[in-house]
Amino acid sequence: MLNEIDLSRTDLNLLVLFEAVLGEGHVGRAADRLNLTPSAVSHGLGRLRRLLNDPLFLRTPKGVVPTARATELAAPIADVLARVRSVMATAAPFDPATAMRRFAIGAPDGVSAVILRPLLAELSRIAPRIDVGVRQILPSPARVWRSAIVDLEAHAIDIAIIPSDDIPPRFEKRCIYEEDFVIAMRPGHPFARDPSLERYCSMQHLVVSDSGDPYGFVDEQLAKQGRARRVALTVPNFMFALAVIAETDLISALPRRFVAMHAARFGVLSLDAPLPLPGFRLNAVAPKVAMMDAGVAWLFDLLAEQTAQKHPSGLPARSRQS
């Protein structure tokens, strides 16, 4: 990427600047992230543009977008910086008991609501100066988690936790827990007295869908049996779903661990589904080059250790019926 002459007079911080502007998509936000002025960032971009002989970022009304060349350079630069950070980290070995760092975790809200309670408890005990930021990530159409991969490669997040096994080989992947679905409803709901498939199909349903699309995996399973249901409402997240279910006659298929951990505060009950619903695995994902960072590797292992424990109710996940 750089010849020997250029490298001898190149400031490595220009690559850090590139990484920040790419991740933020905005010069001002990149400046805030780097504790620099927007003018200093613009000046650094000018030097980098001359060095790489490309505009790199094009201005838009909402910020900047990378050129084709900048997109092509994103992965190699991320690899270079990860290796440099790994080398520098060896000078001060990562010790969670004393380390002062902030990590970013990306996950759907139904997943972050499950992992945060045990994670925060453990951090308080063994790593009191470690801070965590949680970023909600959403699937692309057809439930593909491409945005998580993009965020990882742009260093917007350190680790993603997603319900997908379709992970490129350049990423480390580990299953941290398995999940399935239960049917959630308010206390005294008529469905609880007759939890049959026919009765289920006659109910009014709530579906969690950020896009507002009312057709989901439950509808796919019903269609296989020649059945359908009425989706009366869609909401954008699982916590909102619990709040709505608690005060209406709507019912919803929600993740079992999530319901076991949070339904009691809303007074919501759950039953096993009257039809087979697919389970899925939640995988922690991080770039393999990022795993060279001892801090990221430590958090990756900690997430697996905390969430691989038994069901929060104290019973095995599939034996619980509330």
Side-chain angles (χ1 to χ4, degrees), residues 178-224:
E178 295 186 4
E179 185 64 285
D180 65 345
F181 283 80
V182 293
I183 308 305
M185 70 210 76
R186 64 167 176 80
H189 196 287
F191 177 67
R193 297 193 296 271
D194 177 22
S196 64
L197 180 57
E198 183 174 353
R199 185 70 163 155
Y200 177 76
C201 293
S202 72
M203 295 288 101
Q204 295 186 40
H205 295 255
L206 178 152
V207 168
V208 177
S209 169
D210 177 72
S211 67
D213 182 358
Y215 190 87
F217 69 93
V218 173
D219 302 282
E220 294 171 358
Q221 297 302 309
L222 288 172
K224 292 177 182 178

Side-chain angles (χ1 to χ4, degrees), residues 12 79-89:
L12 185 62
D79 184 48
V80 168
L81 290 176
R83 293 177 185 276
V84 170
R85 287 169 176 142
S86 177
V87 170
M88 299 303 293

Side-chain angles (χ1 to χ4, degrees), residues 108-275:
D109 82 289
V111 176
S112 57
V114 168
I115 67 169
L116 277 181
R117 183 188 295 176
L119 176 62
L120 292 177
E122 189 67 2
L123 289 178
S124 178
R125 187 179 71 85
I126 67 172
R129 295 184 174 185
I130 296 295
D131 298 324
V132 174
V134 176
R135 177 170 177 167
Q136 183 171 358
I137 52 179
L138 302 167
S140 306
R143 297 193 288 276
V144 176
W145 295 88
R146 188 174 298 110
S147 63
I149 300 301
V150 172
D151 286 347
L152 286 168
E153 293 190 316
H155 298 278
I157 54 178
D158 297 297
I159 298 172
I161 303 174
I162 53 177
S164 175
D165 287 314
D166 185 19
I167 307 299
R170 63 185 180 277
F171 291 88
E172 188 81 16
K173 177 185 75 173
R174 186 181 304 171
C175 177
I176 60 174
Y177 70 93
E178 295 186 4
E179 185 64 285
D180 65 345
F181 283 80
V182 293
I183 308 305
M185 70 210 76
R186 64 167 176 80
H189 196 287
F191 177 67
R193 297 193 296 271
D194 177 22
S196 64
L197 180 57
E198 183 174 353
R199 185 70 163 155
Y200 177 76
C201 293
S202 72
M203 295 288 101
Q204 295 186 40
H205 295 255
L206 178 152
V207 168
V208 177
S209 169
D210 177 72
S211 67
D213 182 358
Y215 190 87
F217 69 93
V218 173
D219 302 282
E220 294 171 358
Q221 297 302 309
L222 288 172
K224 292 177 182 178
Q225 302 190 30
R227 295 178 179 269
R229 62 175 178 167
R230 176 190 169 192
V231 175
L233 177 69
T234 66
V235 297
N237 62 67
F238 287 101
M239 282 296 185
F240 190 18
L242 285 178
V244 172
I245 290 168
E247 299 181 351
T248 68
D249 282 336
L250 296 170
I251 64 174
S252 183
L254 299 177
R256 187 184 296 266
R257 284 202 185 203
F258 169 79
V259 170
M261 186 174 286
H262 297 287
R265 77 178 71 170
F266 295 94
V268 170
L269 306 178
S270 66
L271 295 171
D272 287 331
L275 74 163

Side-chain angles (χ1 to χ4, degrees), residues 89-90 92-101 103 127 130 293-299:
T90 61
F94 179 80
D95 179 1
T98 58
M100 297 178 63
R101 285 189 63 175
F103 294 100
I130 296 295
D293 181 327
V296 173
W298 168 81
L299 181 61

